[in-house]
Amino acid sequence: MAVSRQEKRRLDYKPPLFTITDVDLSFSLDLTKTRVVQKSKVKRLTPDLSQPLVLDGDGLKLLGVRINGQECSFTETAKSLTIPVSEKEFWLEVVTEISPADNTELMGLYVSDGKFCTQNEPEGFRRITYFLDRSDVLSRYTVHISAPAGQYPFMLSNGNPVSDSTQDGVRTVTWKDPFPKPSYLFALVAGDFDELSREFVTRSGKKVQVRLYVDRGMAPFGDAAIDSVLRAMKWDEDRFGLEYDLSRFNVVSVDFFNAGAMENKSLNIFNSRYVLVDPASATDTDYENVLSVIGHEYFHNWTGDRVTLRDWFQLSLKEGLTVFRDQEFSSDLGCRAIERLKAIRVIRGPQFAEDSGPMAHPVRPDYVMEMNNFYSATVYDKGAEVIRMIHTILGEEGFQKGMRLYISRYDGKAVTCEDFVSAMEEATGTDLRQFRNWYSQSGTPVVTVSMNYDERTRKCELTVKQKTPPTPRQPEKKPFVIPIKMSLYDRQGNRIPLIKDGVPAAPVQIADEESQSWLFENVPERPVPALLEGFSAPVKLEYPYTEEDLRILLMHAEDPVSRYDAVQSLIINYFYRNAENFERNLPFSEPKALIEAYRYILNSDMDRRFAAFVMTLPSINSVIENFRVVNLDAVFAVYRHLRDCLVIGLRDEISRLYGRSLQVYEERVRTPGSYAVTPEQMGERALAEFLLDFQARSLTLSGDAAGAAALVLHHYRISDNMTDTLAAMKTAVRYGLSSEAEILGDFEEKWSGNPLVFDNLFRAVAMAPRPDTLNRVRDLMRHKCFDIGNPNRVRALIGAFASGNPECFHAIDGSGYEFLTETVRQLNRTNGHVAARILTPMLALRRFDRKRCDMIKGCFEKLLGEPDLSDAVYELIDKSLRHL
């Protein structure tokens, strides 16, 4: 395919010259020759009658075009259909033919395991028919789906079912959606499924039929998903006052899907990974993901569907807002502290990496070549943090006032991020002009805080400075509005009231200048500040905490994020010191403060899941983000040394606590069916996984590799759930224990018939930091369960290796880079979007040593020489090389 390499700019947006108010679509389904008849009511929006109608298209076979029933002239190119027309309003008929079975890009109408499925966000509808395929053209759809009777028992589209009839052996089902929507929200599904049904009664008394469609035989795996829909419906009414608006809500699970799910109006389509769960096959995290992703797509009904986007540069308008909503949903229904820490890990890992790399862009981007490259941690996760900061500034009541105004004013419209912020301002009388810098500026602000304490006056002055490093196309940055939630503690861990100007001060202070100071009174001694409580802004914080300060925060801070950050600071400080020692060829120091911190946690009454979360070492990728220029070999060496020092230093506590955990577990599994996804049991399993890993490593280091292998094998054999099963399997593979072969063989025998579950084996092998891992990954690509055409399989094996195993991927011989380059070349020929996604770990080459940087450049040059390189891959490489 020819590539245009043309960059799009947000400021070049122009309103459409035409709109389409009503669409009647007829599909005659066939795997290779689906016929699509589109009849649309078109209305001119410009008085200039000489302007032709220009429709978007991609890979279509055009069979006919008519205006008001009459054949007309037109000009067709590979990407457009131009029709000269002088009428102000007219009916357009376009007939196209497409081959869903050959659609390997999984955009538009395609086939997944013999079932028809669509994915149209952002620009997939043009692969179905010629259309005004843009988010600001909203139309009412009537859809007729036809196929030989009995071939596809379920034929679904948006809205409510209108009719279902059979004539001359052809069955036709008609759906009608009364709500105008952009083409990216159109959906069609046809196939044979198991159907689960529930009824939900809205707060106004309306009955809604909720239907879930899964592969035949998988109905028992869908209960958690359909229950999650009902919980999301109820929560959205209770928290946001938003009620579902149709009599039918459908959810469909498919295995071949580029993303996690899609919020098509009333017909949500999900990657089966986020639908199909049961205790034997799914982990605790899988259950949480189902709840979160199901909720996310349902919440789009109002924040994305009813109120939608003017253009794709506004993507965070719906995604950032809806991620915030699904985070709040999961927090209200689960553990708020854990949900917050999970979100923070994403920001400090993938998002901070994006902000400091060649693909850095604002939450509302200004430039893009390939729209799918917008689907980033910045748009989604940083976008959610921007919404959270608005919530922090306005409070729950003010935020809900703003939401009510936003929904009521823009229902049925395509709008911008500016419209959202303006609604928040108007509803609460709050000036958010400077706050808009979060939407327009890229990069991660660095907030540096210093303290001056006067014992005589008992006054404590905090000086706050902010600076944001240059990013591509934005060398200079204006100050952000940064809400800093804080507390002060004395040396005994007692909280000191915040007093400013003789009155109690708000716990949230606003930093909105390059440098400013806050003076607190009646402070009895030099305090320990807990800064950025709850991670109140997506910034990097610099404060000269001592190890004693961090100990006090770990033991006494009321905010769980502050306790978590105390341990993280000890870890990162250790990396700073010892990476320097590595470069100077000096011995590593011992992590005495960290060992004591872990010992305190293990012996405290801290919530078990929270304790496991706090003690789990950050990923190497997250550690790397703390270095401007990183010595990868130093980080790898320090990481291994730190882990083993903790194992040795905590040997007695780990042995004792794992033994106790195992005893409790063995008692529970004696009662069949006792497994449950409850906070208590999830905490036990999370801590058990941490203890198992440390205990196995401890035995190995002490020379008892056989004992470690037996321990892990026993943990695997007695497991009655996937969380514990995977804990044992990952530990055996990570350390190369002799029980690995038996565990992997047993797992394969049990689960090779279930691709989603078998993906766990792919991940375990791909993420093991072992010299033989790359060869094992290559071998698994020939496994019967691997399919390079399925994005789930690619992410589970190749993506896990490249993104989740930096020690092996960044091997100094370049083998990881060469492997990923080969894979990207292969994927580019069938699915350029997936190829671009797995390329991400190579983009930050500027931060690596010269040898690694040159090797990656060589790989990029090979890819640039690839014929028909997709825009998605080209854009990433081009920006990376420009960033050097």
Side-chain angles (χ1 to χ4, degrees):
M1 90 183 158
V3 288
S4 63
R5 313 300 188 211
Q6 183 176 356
E7 193 174 58
K8 306 173 183 71
R9 302 195 322 149
R10 179 177 61 85
L11 294 180
D12 289 340
Y13 169 82
K14 294 180 181 178
L17 300 177
F18 296 83
T19 192
I20 296 175
T21 60
D22 296 273
V23 185
D24 188 283
L25 284 172
S26 296
F27 290 83
S28 299
L29 296 180
D30 184 272
L31 291 175
T32 57
K33 293 183 178 181
T34 289
R35 183 182 176 93
V36 183
V37 179
Q38 173 208 157
K39 297 179 181 179
S40 300
K41 187 176 183 179
V42 184
K43 181 179 180 180
R44 185 184 295 273
L45 299 178
T46 172
D48 185 357
L49 299 181
S50 67
Q51 292 288 343
L53 173 65
V54 181
L55 304 175
D56 302 300
D58 184 7
L60 302 170
K61 181 178 180 180
L62 182 63
L63 301 181
V65 183
R66 291 181 175 81
I67 297 290
N68 293 328
Q70 303 296 317
E71 293 187 358
C72 61
S73 61
F74 58 85
T75 302
E76 184 184 14
T77 70
K79 299 290 185 181
S80 66
L81 180 67
T82 301
I83 306 170
V85 59
S86 58
E87 287 89 342
K88 293 183 178 179
E89 293 188 22
F90 53 91
W91 282 94
L92 167 71
E93 181 178 338
V94 178
V95 183
T96 54
E97 183 180 279
I98 54 179
S99 177
D102 296 324
N103 183 359
T104 60
E105 287 191 34
L106 312 185
M107 291 291 291
L109 180 65
Y110 65 94
V111 176
S112 171
D113 285 338
K115 307 173 185 66
F116 288 89
C117 177
T118 55
Q119 170 58 29
N120 291 318
E121 184 180 349
E123 296 177 336
F125 193 75
R126 64 190 61 189
R127 296 170 61 83
I128 294 174
T129 182
Y130 284 103
F131 202 74
L132 292 174
D133 188 15
R134 43 189 292 166
S135 59
D136 56 355
V137 173
L138 277 63
S139 315
R140 288 179 290 270
Y141 284 72
T142 301
V143 180
H144 316 278
I145 311 170
S146 299
Q151 192 166 18
Y152 303 110
F154 297 97
M155 297 192 292
L156 312 170
S157 191
N158 310 86
N160 294 318
V162 174
S163 64
D164 187 341
S165 61
T166 301
Q167 185 174 358
D168 298 329
V170 176
R171 179 179 172 226
T172 300
V173 177
T174 298
W175 294 78
K176 189 164 187 175
D177 187 354
F179 295 102
K181 63 176 179 288
S183 55
Y184 82 87
L185 291 173
F186 167 78
L188 181 153
V189 172
D192 192 12
F193 300 94
D194 276 349
E195 181 186 43
L196 289 81
S197 179
R198 301 280 194 280
E199 183 178 83
F200 180 80
V201 180
T202 69
R203 61 180 183 171
S204 66
K206 181 173 62 181
K207 294 181 179 180
V208 179
Q209 291 299 312
V210 179
R211 306 283 177 86
L212 173 67
Y213 298 90
V214 299
D215 287 345
R216 284 291 182 187
M218 303 302 288
F221 296 82
D223 287 334
I226 196 166
D227 288 342
S228 295
V229 175
L230 303 184
R231 299 174 80 184
M233 287 178 153
K234 179 69 166 55
W235 181 87
D236 215 14
E237 290 185 348
D238 292 344
R239 179 80 185 266
F240 281 84
L242 296 172
E243 183 177 324
Y244 188 63
D245 50 10
L246 289 166
S247 62
R248 185 83 171 261
F249 185 78
N250 295 322
V251 175
V252 180
S253 164
V254 297
D255 194 35
F256 284 70
F257 208 69
N258 281 340
M262 180 59 209
E263 72 266 19
N264 316 294
K265 177 66 180 172
S266 74
L267 177 51
N268 288 184
I269 301 177
F270 280 75
N271 187 322
S272 53
R273 181 181 178 188
Y274 299 107
V275 172
L276 303 177
V277 292
D278 79 337
S281 67
T283 65
D284 295 339
T285 299
D286 290 331
Y287 273 96
E288 289 182 317
N289 288 342
V290 167
L291 181 70
S292 174
V293 178
I294 289 279
H296 180 96
E297 305 307 329
Y298 173 76
F299 300 143
H300 268 311
N301 186 62
W302 284 98
T303 52
D305 294 2
R306 288 286 291 262
V307 182
T308 193
L309 312 176
R310 187 196 72 174
D311 59 79
W312 289 110
F313 293 94
Q314 316 297 328
L315 181 59
S316 195
L317 173 70
K318 73 181 182 78
E319 295 301 348
L321 176 56
T322 306
V323 169
F324 169 78
R325 277 159 43 77
D326 84 53
Q327 289 174 351
E328 286 297 289
F329 171 60
S330 295
S331 296
D332 284 348
L333 272 62
C335 176
R336 180 164 291 273
I338 293 295
E339 293 301 324
R340 190 70 192 118
L341 292 179
K342 285 160 60 177
I344 291 169
R345 279 189 173 178
V346 174
I347 294 294
R348 290 178 176 164
Q351 200 285 311
F352 277 2
E354 196 166 79
D355 253 351
S356 63
M359 291 300 293
H361 57 269
V363 168
R364 183 198 58 211
D366 292 314
Y367 308 90
V368 75
M369 180 179 294
E370 166 53 55
M371 290 296 182
N372 278 283
N373 287 343
F374 268 170
Y375 291 76
S376 64
T378 298
V379 166
Y380 278 68
D381 301 284
K382 186 176 180 178
E385 295 300 315
V386 171
I387 299 295
R388 187 171 297 279
M389 285 188 289
I390 294 177
H391 184 276
T392 297
I393 292 169
L394 301 183
E396 172 71 4
E397 183 178 351
F399 186 82
Q400 292 295 352
K401 284 182 180 178
M403 282 293 298
R404 288 191 291 271
L405 178 60
Y406 172 68
I407 296 292
S408 63
R409 175 174 291 173
Y410 298 118
D411 186 13
K413 295 182 173 64
V415 297
T416 66
C417 295
E418 173 67 28
D419 293 321
F420 175 81
V421 178
S422 295
M424 290 289 161
E425 284 182 314
E426 186 175 333
T428 62
T430 305
D431 185 349
L432 295 174
R433 281 176 294 180
Q434 186 182 345
F435 186 86
R436 287 167 170 79
N437 289 342
W438 283 106
Y439 283 98
S440 61
Q441 293 186 159
S442 58
T444 302
V446 178
V447 176
T448 303
V449 182
S450 60
M451 178 188 292
N452 182 28
Y453 177 71
D454 189 322
E455 290 184 9
R456 183 180 60 82
T457 62
R458 305 198 344 156
K459 291 182 178 180
C460 175
E461 184 180 51
L462 292 179
T463 299
V464 182
K465 298 180 180 180
Q466 60 167 291
K467 184 173 179 58
T468 305
T471 53
R473 295 183 174 180
Q474 290 189 346
E476 301 293 332
K477 306 296 172 74
K478 298 176 183 178
F480 287 90
V481 173
I482 301 174
I484 299 181
K485 189 176 182 183
M486 59 179 294
S487 298
L488 299 179
Y489 291 90
D490 65 21
R491 313 309 292 185
Q492 290 71 46
N494 301 306
R495 196 167 182 173
I496 301 171
L498 296 180
I499 305 294
K500 288 175 67 177
D501 299 324
V503 297
V508 177
Q509 300 291 308
I510 302 298
D512 55 6
E513 302 173 22
E514 288 186 2
S515 180
Q516 62 200 101
S517 296
W518 304 322
L519 188 64
F520 299 99
E521 304 158 356
N522 299 330
V523 180
E525 60 181 83
R526 183 178 180 86
V528 178
L531 301 167
L532 214 67
E533 290 181 317
F535 194 60
S536 56
V539 303
K540 292 182 179 180
L541 175 68
E542 293 182 351
Y543 180 82
Y545 285 113
T546 66
E547 289 185 346
E548 175 62 14
D549 291 340
L550 297 173
R551 185 192 68 81
I552 291 171
L553 291 177
L554 169 62
M555 296 177 65
H556 301 291
E558 297 178 17
D559 169 46
V561 174
S562 296
R563 304 182 80 183
Y564 170 79
D565 279 348
V567 177
Q568 296 301 297
S569 294
L570 288 171
I571 292 171
I572 297 304
N573 290 342
Y574 184 81
F575 271 95
Y576 285 150
R577 291 194 303 270
N578 288 282
E580 183 176 341
N581 287 349
F582 179 90
E583 292 175 353
R584 296 169 60 188
N585 205 26
L586 296 174
F588 294 146
S589 62
E590 295 306 303
K592 295 179 181 178
L594 262 172
I595 291 172
E596 289 307 311
Y598 274 51
R599 182 170 286 123
Y600 165 76
I601 294 168
L602 289 169
N603 292 315
S604 72
D605 59 357
M606 189 180 292
D607 175 83
R608 293 180 183 276
R609 193 174 180 207
F610 181 72
F613 213 98
V614 172
M615 291 188 295
T616 299
L617 290 175
S619 70
I620 289 179
N621 289 327
S622 295
V623 172
I624 288 171
E625 279 311 303
N626 291 276
F627 294 85
R628 182 171 297 177
V629 177
V630 62
N631 183 327
L632 289 173
D633 298 306
V635 170
F636 299 154
V638 175
Y639 198 95
R640 291 190 293 267
H641 179 78
L642 173 58
R643 181 198 59 201
D644 286 350
C645 282
L646 291 171
V647 167
I648 295 169
L650 298 164
R651 178 171 285 157
D652 292 342
E653 286 86 354
I654 294 295
S655 178
R656 173 175 54 83
L657 290 172
Y658 180 72
R660 181 191 302 171
S661 174
L662 189 63
Q663 182 179 6
V664 171
Y665 185 75
E666 288 176 331
E667 290 176 359
R668 184 184 65 75
V669 296
R670 292 192 188 102
T671 305
S674 61
Y675 167 84
V677 187
T678 62
E680 295 76 19
Q681 284 198 24
M682 291 169 71
E684 292 286 350
R685 286 188 286 273
L687 186 59
E689 179 173 359
F690 171 84
L691 296 171
L692 174 67
D693 178 88
F694 269 43
Q695 179 69 354
R697 183 60 179 166
S698 174
L699 291 170
T700 302
L701 291 172
S702 65
D704 188 9
L711 177 87
V712 172
L713 182 60
H714 178 67
H715 195 102
Y716 178 86
R717 285 174 172 170
I718 67 171
S719 169
D720 66 346
N721 65 87
M722 189 55 65
T723 302
D724 287 318
T725 295
L726 293 185
M729 183 167 73
K730 289 186 291 186
T731 302
V733 175
R734 182 183 303 120
Y735 298 128
L737 302 178
S738 59
S739 53
E740 172 191 353
E742 180 176 344
I743 291 173
L744 291 181
D746 180 77
F747 192 88
E748 179 171 16
E749 182 179 346
K750 288 179 178 177
W751 297 110
S752 60
N754 187 322
L756 281 178
V757 180
F758 197 77
D759 280 349
N760 290 303
L761 185 146
F762 287 149
R763 293 187 196 97
V765 172
M767 295 176 70
R770 293 166 41 174
D772 62 343
T773 292
L774 179 54
N775 288 334
R776 300 181 77 189
V777 169
R778 289 185 182 277
D779 289 342
L780 285 173
M781 289 181 70
R782 295 186 287 271
H783 194 280
K784 64 179 182 179
C785 291
F786 184 77
D787 179 358
I788 200 165
N790 188 311
N792 280 343
R793 307 294 90 78
V794 172
R795 286 187 285 260
L797 183 59
I798 300 164
F801 173 75
S803 296
N805 192 348
E807 288 186 74
C808 293
F809 177 67
H810 293 292
I812 196 61
D813 64 359
S815 55
Y817 305 146
E818 292 290 343
F819 166 71
L820 191 62
T821 301
E822 295 169 17
T823 309
V824 169
R825 290 174 67 178
Q826 183 177 356
L827 282 168
N828 179 73
R829 301 180 190 119
T830 55
N831 193 328
H833 306 309
V834 174
R837 290 288 174 148
I838 67 168
L839 190 62
T840 300
M842 292 171 69
L843 301 184
L845 67 163
R846 186 177 76 164
R847 303 176 66 185
F848 303 150
D849 58 81
R850 174 52 54 190
K851 182 174 182 180
R852 287 184 171 93
C853 182
D854 288 344
M855 288 189 294
I856 294 175
K857 283 176 62 179
C859 291
F860 282 173
E861 288 165 2
K862 288 180 183 178
L863 289 170
L864 289 175
E866 188 75 7
D868 297 329
L869 187 67
S870 70
D871 277 354
V873 175
Y874 176 86
E875 180 178 26
L876 298 183
I877 294 175
D878 180 63
K879 288 186 175 180
S880 296
L881 294 177
R882 290 174 184 269
H883 194 56
L884 289 175

